Amino acid sequence: VGQGADVLIAGFVIGGATSKTVLIRASGPALVPFGVSGTLSDPQLQLDNAGRAIAANNGWGGDPQIAAAAASVGAFSWGSSATLDSAILITLPPGAYTAQVSGASGDSGIALVEVYDVQ
């Protein structure tokens, strides 16, 4: 992952007729304890719908709501302290979306993007 043509893009669709709450995470620093080297040190996460940005995050800040949502869906823990990993917890209407991950401070490296349906 990097900048420009080197961003990571994950697409997903909310189907049906009702809105869903989703947790979208961009892990970089959180991958280090798993032995992943060369991680993206400062991932920027942006959520788009129909070509327009609808949400963004750079550094999840240890948000307890995000931590609780991650635990409820079985995602690996980022701990309770603020890291530069990024996350968006949002309720979305049915439609097609993209989650884009880039290096917020011009950095590049390995990142993981995850999208979870939060019940």
Side-chain angles (χ1 to χ4, degrees):
V1 177
Q3 294 288 320
D6 294 327
V7 300
L8 170 63
I9 302 171
F12 65 97
V13 173
I14 305 290
T18 59
S19 295
K20 297 255 185 197
T21 300
V22 295
L23 172 64
I24 307 160
R25 303 195 321 170
S27 299
L31 300 175
V32 173
F34 296 100
V36 179
S37 59
T39 60
L40 184 63
S41 62
D42 190 8
Q44 166 77 37
L45 178 60
Q46 179 175 304
L47 178 63
D48 289 7
N49 173 256
R52 68 177 173 82
I54 58 173
N57 180 257
N58 184 11
W60 74 295
D63 184 316
Q65 278 189 303
I66 291 173
S72 77
V73 297
F76 71 92
S77 175
W78 284 349
S80 60
S81 62
T83 65
L84 292 178
D85 301 288
S86 296
I88 298 169
L89 181 61
I90 190 169
T91 301
L92 299 170
Y97 299 89
T98 59
Q100 299 178 30
V101 181
S102 61
S105 51
D107 54 332
S108 63
I110 296 170
L112 171 68
V113 65
E114 306 163 287
V115 180
Y116 294 97
D117 180 8
V118 179
Q119 298 294 334

